[in-house]
Amino acid sequence: MRRGKTFIICGPSGVGKGTVVARLLASDPALYLSVSATTRLPRTGEEDGVHYHFLTRERFQEWIEAGDFLEYAQYVGNFYGTPRLYVDRAMDQGRDVLLDIDVQGAAQIHRQRPEAVRIFVAPPSWEELERRLIGRGTEDMEKVRSRLERGREEFSVAGGFDYFVINDTVDRAVEELRAIMLAEHCRPEERMALIDRK
Ligand code: ADP
Ligand code: 5GP
């Protein structure tokens, strides 16, 4: 059986990664989304074990010390990490794995696993990103501003990624991600016919 591939989905908070990933998952039961661990508090409607594993700082530290994370990073005051075990198990089962993580996490994984595909999801404009962050209705303006600032920093390294997708409409972004995933499963010489890889 072929081993699954890892697709790292990065991009500013609020750009719509969760929305787009949910659409991909709904249409392909073989895809696996890694549920991250975080020290941030749950937003309304977020469930432990579904959206995140919500951990205390102490517990997060224990997971770090036990080597349980494939990568971890700090994002706007909280820690986030990818549990290693489930990712490797899904790949061994031949499933493709999606990681919704920040650029620091992507860099850590790239060092360990250069074959992981890095995709940067960008907003159509910074004004639209602000609207989406505010529209989510979960945070005050100070947090929204921190996320926007962090988003601009993330955008500055997007050129180093394998693919760049603008989340203008969800339909179009999902279609582009599907095309990328399909192309990555083809032999290299066939890829260019499907997509322009940088
Ligand atoms: P992220 O996971 O990147 O932080 P979310 O998936 O939570 O972002 O999306 C942030 C907000 O933007 C949500 O309210 C979502 O419904 C909205 N959204 C996502 N994609 C689009 C889009 N293409 N156009 C308009 N709004 C969008
Ligand atoms: P949010 O608080 O909006 O859920 O997430 C904030 C940022 O943390 C997002 O850009 C998201 O992609 C990133 N993130 C979520 N989980 C992980 C993870 O396991 N590792 C890293 N490095 N970043 C993560």
Side-chain angles (χ1 to χ4, degrees):
M1 194 205 299
R2 73 155 169 83
R3 199 156 191 262
K5 282 181 182 286
T6 302
F7 293 90
I8 303 175
I9 316 281
C10 265
S13 177
V15 74
K17 300 183 297 297
T19 307
V20 167
V21 161
R23 278 277 297 277
L24 281 172
L25 290 172
S27 65
D28 184 354
L31 268 180
Y32 176 81
L33 171 67
S34 168
V35 177
S36 298
T38 183
T39 59
R40 103 155 148 66
L41 294 173
R43 297 183 184 130
T44 311
E46 283 185 338
E47 278 180 60
D48 189 36
V50 176
H51 296 91
Y52 280 108
H53 301 289
F54 293 101
L55 306 185
T56 60
R57 285 268 168 131
E58 293 71 26
R59 192 96 179 86
F60 198 96
Q61 188 59 37
E62 283 169 22
W63 285 35
I64 294 175
E65 281 160 22
D68 288 344
F69 288 124
L70 200 52
E71 61 73 36
Y72 65 91
Q74 220 176 344
Y75 194 100
V76 189
N78 291 298
F79 284 94
Y80 297 81
T82 304
R84 182 188 304 278
L85 181 68
Y86 300 117
V87 170
D88 285 343
R89 188 186 295 165
M91 285 174 72
D92 289 345
Q93 290 168 346
R95 299 177 73 179
D96 285 340
V97 174
L98 301 179
L99 301 180
D100 170 353
I101 61 176
D102 82 324
V103 296
Q104 286 176 26
Q108 288 181 54
I109 295 196
H110 182 63
R111 281 194 290 274
Q112 299 171 51
R113 303 179 175 191
E115 70 283 4
V117 180
R118 290 167 301 161
I119 304 166
F120 195 91
V121 180
S125 70
W126 295 110
E127 292 73 22
E128 174 60 15
L129 180 63
E130 185 171 3
R131 271 194 291 278
R132 289 182 195 173
L133 281 165
I134 294 170
R136 201 155 59 176
T138 50
E139 284 169 339
D140 59 30
M141 273 315 285
E142 195 190 324
K143 286 250 171 63
V144 165
R145 269 194 289 273
S146 307
R147 283 179 193 268
L148 275 172
E149 199 179 306
R150 183 59 207 254
R152 284 178 188 276
E153 284 167 27
E154 298 208 282
F155 189 79
S156 69
V157 298
F161 277 59
D162 299 309
Y163 298 99
F164 186 84
V165 171
I166 297 176
N167 180 16
D168 186 350
T169 70
V170 176
D171 280 352
R172 200 157 32 213
V174 167
E175 204 177 296
E176 282 185 33
L177 286 169
R178 281 206 192 102
I180 289 168
M181 295 173 77
L182 182 64
E184 285 289 336
H185 278 294
C186 295
R187 288 199 306 273
E189 62 270 25
E190 288 170 330
R191 276 189 205 151
M192 295 313 288
L194 283 165
I195 202 142
D196 273 340
R197 186 172 169 142
K198 284 199 301 118

